[in-house]
Amino acid sequence: MSATAYETLLVEERDDRVIVTLHRPEARNAISGRMIAELHEVCALLERDPKLLLLTGHGRVFAGGADIAELLRRGRDEALQGINSRLFERVRRLPMPTLAAVDGWALGGGAELSYACDLRIAGPDAVFGNPEPGLGILAAAGACWRLPELVGESVAKQVLLAGRTLDAPAALAAGLVIEVVPADELLDAAHALLDRMARSSATALRLTKLVVDSPGAHPVADDLAQAVLFEGQDKKDRMTRFLEKRSRA
């Protein structure tokens, strides 16, 4: 897939991952209807050919929010379509792990897109926030229920109701991000994290994510997923290598 195939994204495909850069530099990478449509195309690609996803923003900004001019034109019918929320839920349900590398602003819909990823890593200038009530709306693309799951109800209400923003140290303390690294090392650190995951069994990662994201299904879901993995050749090969290595130690 060529980066020139998109208007609002830069997309790079590798053997084990896809790197997507939000790219609307004239609008702080604000999430527009066009970007939503193009991210749906990326999701379709990753559903057909499951790979790790790295999501980041161009120009030291993740995404400064949704496109306010577009939101102003939207009414009840558009709200009921869940234009942003349907995409973010699709990102959440991608088969393989997803990672948002965030530096600079991740506000409104930009924050909600990062919340939809499995993991987040931050640069020192990262700022997460949901200022939607100040615009007369609510954070309706997942923040009202995802953020409490990620950081707890108290911190989530500080962000969603009191307008608190979480800078990089606060996001790390709240468990929202896995690590804070210097800005010029952010993408390298993100790829190192993906490299670590890529060394694991792809099937095991997919089934682990499926079980973790399926509340209420335990322990049956655990047993079924483990049964699939126990019959796989990958498990046999990995455990045999482990035992052989230990016997030589």
Side-chain angles (χ1 to χ4, degrees):
M1 181 178 296
S2 168
T4 59
Y6 296 92
E7 295 178 12
T8 67
L9 306 175
L10 303 176
V11 179
E12 178 188 350
E13 288 187 66
R14 299 186 186 177
D15 289 342
D16 61 357
R17 71 197 62 175
V18 172
I19 303 101
V20 175
T21 304
L22 309 179
H23 189 258
R24 294 188 69 214
E26 75 287 355
R28 295 198 306 175
N29 303 329
I31 298 174
S32 63
R34 180 62 183 173
M35 183 181 286
I36 291 288
E38 293 182 351
L39 286 169
H40 272 297
E41 293 180 30
V42 173
C43 287
L45 167 71
L46 291 169
E47 289 160 353
R48 291 192 304 269
D49 182 14
K51 294 181 180 180
L52 300 166
L53 170 65
L54 173 58
L55 188 62
T56 191
H58 172 78
R60 301 289 296 276
V61 176
F62 185 74
D67 189 304
I68 303 302
E70 289 189 6
L71 286 182
L72 179 61
R73 294 192 296 269
R74 292 180 188 174
R76 175 189 60 199
D77 291 342
E78 288 79 12
L80 291 173
Q81 292 172 21
I83 294 170
N84 288 17
S85 63
R86 299 299 186 273
L87 169 71
F88 298 168
E89 182 62 14
R90 192 174 184 183
V91 170
R92 176 65 173 169
R93 295 184 178 277
L94 286 172
M96 290 288 282
T98 56
L99 171 65
V102 178
D103 199 21
W105 295 107
L107 299 178
E112 291 182 296
L113 177 56
S114 76
Y115 303 158
C117 291
D118 295 307
L119 299 165
R120 286 148 298 279
I121 188 170
D125 296 324
V127 178
F128 299 85
N130 289 97
E132 285 90 342
L135 295 169
I137 59 175
L138 60 85
C144 288
W145 53 275
R146 281 202 183 97
L147 192 57
E149 293 177 352
L150 293 170
V151 301
E153 181 179 329
S154 177
V155 174
K157 285 184 174 179
Q158 293 170 38
V159 173
L160 297 167
L161 301 179
R164 179 187 177 189
T165 56
L166 299 178
D167 62 13
L172 181 63
L176 183 61
V177 302
I178 190 171
E179 188 179 9
V180 177
V181 299
D184 59 357
E185 299 175 15
L186 179 59
L187 289 182
D188 287 342
H191 280 293
L193 180 54
L194 292 178
D195 290 343
R196 188 190 317 162
M197 288 190 280
R199 290 193 288 271
S200 295
S201 160
T203 304
L205 285 177
R206 289 185 64 177
L207 287 173
T208 299
K209 177 174 176 176
L210 187 64
V211 170
V212 170
D213 289 343
S214 302
H218 309 291
V220 175
D222 293 14
D223 295 343
L224 291 173
Q226 193 74 299
V228 172
L229 293 170
F230 270 24
E231 292 299 312
Q233 187 61 43
D234 191 35
K235 169 251 190 184
K236 296 180 177 66
D237 292 343
R238 287 172 180 270
M239 290 189 175
T240 299
R241 288 197 299 270
F242 174 83
L243 293 172
E244 290 174 348
K245 182 178 180 180
R246 189 173 68 175
S247 68
R248 293 194 297 268

